[in-house]
């Protein structure tokens, strides 16, 4: 039997595209045998699994653009460029009441990736490791330099996209034979090598983990490795690759509600435009 996997890239504010694409999957009652997400892909994956489209929409379109989350106000609040704790506690828990209890209680077939500073590698966590306070999820989204390291069960965690921007390798390791992959960059996107300044900042910030600097230095190579794996799978009919059909320009950290709404709608509409292809691809999935 085939094993169908859902694979989600991160992308910060660009994750609005993923949120829209997942809303289409929810509206069409499409589920998977295994699900894996990185960074904001992990967040929107959790919203999708617990069927909370409202939280995903508001996070993607409204909250991600809040001046409370990024920049000077964030730095005053948390000492970093992005206030991830505020985002999780104030927006997701307090305002949206995001409850991932079903993921934990039902042991849903999912994983999220985090970079473990003590190990110097990206590791994956299933429902048995998740917490209702969303601390682990915050660790999965916390970008290096831009945010605080998240302490969780004796681990020091950051965004798993340091090495695994598109977790296609993990899906294959978990036995997936068919993968629907959703990414947040258009086809002409070029990932550049990390700048010497960023690498110097990381070397200073994470003195006890020299591996993270090495990993960040080859991040662009890992990205293209993952993209090539996906393209090879597509060529064999074993993957569908969903990516933005238009280049709506937002940065990783900042956008505005008009543009993020366009990204969200684009994600939904791109899925709708390819619905026959998606239905045909998913036809072998058992109920």
């Amino acid at each position: 039997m085939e094993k169908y996997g859902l694979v989600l890239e991160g992308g910060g504010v660009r994750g609005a595209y993923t949120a829209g694409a997942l809303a289409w999957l929810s509206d069409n009652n499409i589920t998977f045998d295994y699900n894996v997400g990185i960074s904001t892909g992990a967040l929107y994956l959790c919203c999708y699994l617990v069927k909370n489209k409202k939280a995903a929409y508001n996070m993607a379109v409204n909250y991600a653009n809040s001046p409370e989350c990024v920049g000077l106000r964030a730095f005053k609040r948390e000492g970093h460029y992005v206030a991830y704790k505020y985002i999780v506690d104030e927006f997701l828990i307090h305002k949206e009441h995001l409850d991932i209890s079903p993921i934990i209680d039902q042991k849903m077939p999912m994983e999220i990736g985090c970079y473990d500073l003590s190990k110097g590698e990206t590791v994956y966590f299933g429902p048995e490791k998740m917490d209702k306070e969303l601390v682990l999820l915050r660790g999965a989204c916390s970008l290096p330099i831009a945010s605080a390291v998240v302490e969780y069960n004796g681990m020091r965690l950051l965004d798993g996209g340091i090495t695994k921007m598109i977790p296609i390798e993990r899906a294959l390791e978990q036995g997936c034979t068919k993968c629907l992959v959703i990414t947040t960059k258009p086809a002409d996107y070029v990932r550049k090598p990390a700048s010497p300044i960023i690498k110097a900042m990381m070397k200073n910030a994470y003195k006890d983990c020299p591996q993270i600097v090495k990993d960040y230095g080859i991040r662009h190579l890992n990205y293209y490795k993952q993209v090539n794996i996906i393209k090879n799978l597509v060529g064999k009919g074993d993957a569908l690759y969903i990516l933005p059909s238009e280049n709506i320009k937002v940065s990783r950290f900042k956008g505005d509600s008009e543009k993020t709404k366009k990204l969200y709608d684009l994600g939904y509409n791109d899925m709708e435009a390819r619905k026959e292809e998606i239905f045909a691809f998913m036809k072998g999935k058992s109920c």
Side-chain angles (χ1 to χ4, degrees):
M1 292 180 61
E2 304 282 10
K3 182 175 180 177
Y4 284 78
L6 175 64
V7 178
L8 304 178
E9 185 188 23
V13 172
R14 291 189 292 262
Y17 181 84
T18 301
L22 294 177
W24 187 91
L25 288 176
S26 293
D27 287 349
N28 287 275
N29 298 309
I30 295 176
T31 60
F32 297 82
D33 304 310
Y34 171 78
N35 308 266
V36 60
I38 290 290
S39 193
T40 52
L43 165 60
Y44 294 127
L45 173 60
C46 289
C47 294
Y48 161 73
L49 291 174
V50 301
K51 303 183 186 304
N52 193 334
K53 290 194 299 180
K54 177 176 172 289
Y57 177 87
N58 283 332
M59 185 68 238
V61 176
N62 299 316
Y63 304 147
N65 303 300
S66 170
E68 300 295 329
C69 299
V70 180
L72 183 59
R73 294 183 192 178
F75 191 83
K76 287 181 177 179
R77 177 174 280 112
E78 296 185 15
H80 288 84
Y81 187 69
V82 184
Y84 281 105
K85 190 175 190 304
Y86 181 82
I87 291 170
V88 169
D89 293 348
E90 177 64 18
F91 293 140
L92 294 178
I93 295 177
H94 178 66
K95 288 189 175 181
E96 294 302 324
H97 308 290
L98 180 61
D99 180 11
I100 66 166
S101 297
I103 292 174
I104 299 169
D105 297 341
Q106 298 172 31
K107 296 181 172 57
M108 291 184 177
M110 59 81 70
E111 289 183 312
I112 62 174
C114 300
Y115 191 89
D116 185 340
L117 283 165
S118 63
K119 294 183 178 179
E121 64 181 18
T122 296
V123 296
Y124 292 89
F125 300 91
E128 72 283 354
K129 298 292 185 180
M130 301 289 287
D131 64 291
K132 297 176 184 179
E133 294 76 25
L134 309 183
V135 179
L136 180 62
L137 187 58
R138 175 159 57 90
C141 295
S142 295
L143 292 164
I145 304 297
S147 59
V149 172
V150 174
E151 306 278 348
Y152 184 72
N153 290 346
M155 296 173 286
R156 300 172 64 239
L157 303 176
L158 287 170
D159 188 319
I162 291 166
T163 63
K164 305 296 181 183
M165 285 134 285
I166 312 172
I168 184 63
E169 293 146 308
R170 183 61 175 178
L172 298 178
E173 289 168 1
Q174 293 297 92
C176 293
T177 57
K178 301 284 185 180
C179 292
L180 191 149
V181 184
I182 300 173
T183 65
T184 57
K185 284 85 171 175
D188 61 354
Y189 174 78
V190 176
R191 181 170 289 282
K192 299 176 182 178
S195 72
I197 294 175
I198 292 295
K199 288 192 286 186
M201 292 173 65
M202 294 184 71
K203 185 176 181 180
N204 182 64
Y206 310 113
K207 293 177 182 177
D208 59 341
C209 182
Q211 184 60 41
I212 193 173
V213 182
K214 297 177 183 177
D215 288 335
Y216 216 79
I218 59 170
R219 191 166 180 256
H220 61 298
L221 300 179
N222 282 328
Y223 174 79
Y224 288 114
K225 176 184 176 184
Q226 291 148 21
V227 168
N228 286 334
I229 291 172
I230 295 164
K231 289 181 176 179
N232 286 336
L233 291 170
V234 170
K236 295 188 292 185
D238 292 332
L240 274 187
Y241 190 9
I242 308 294
L243 67 167
S245 59
E246 299 176 29
N247 188 3
I248 298 173
K249 293 186 180 297
V250 296
S251 75
R252 186 176 184 86
F253 298 113
K254 288 186 177 182
D256 59 63
S257 293
E258 181 180 352
K259 286 186 177 180
T260 47
K261 175 65 163 57
K262 286 181 179 179
L263 264 176
Y264 182 95
D265 291 342
L266 182 65
Y268 195 99
N269 293 334
D270 280 354
M271 297 290 279
E272 178 67 17
R274 298 179 66 178
K275 65 180 180 180
E276 298 303 328
E277 186 182 0
I278 294 169
F279 292 149
F281 182 77
M282 297 296 299
K283 68 180 180 181
K285 184 183 179 299
S286 58
C287 298

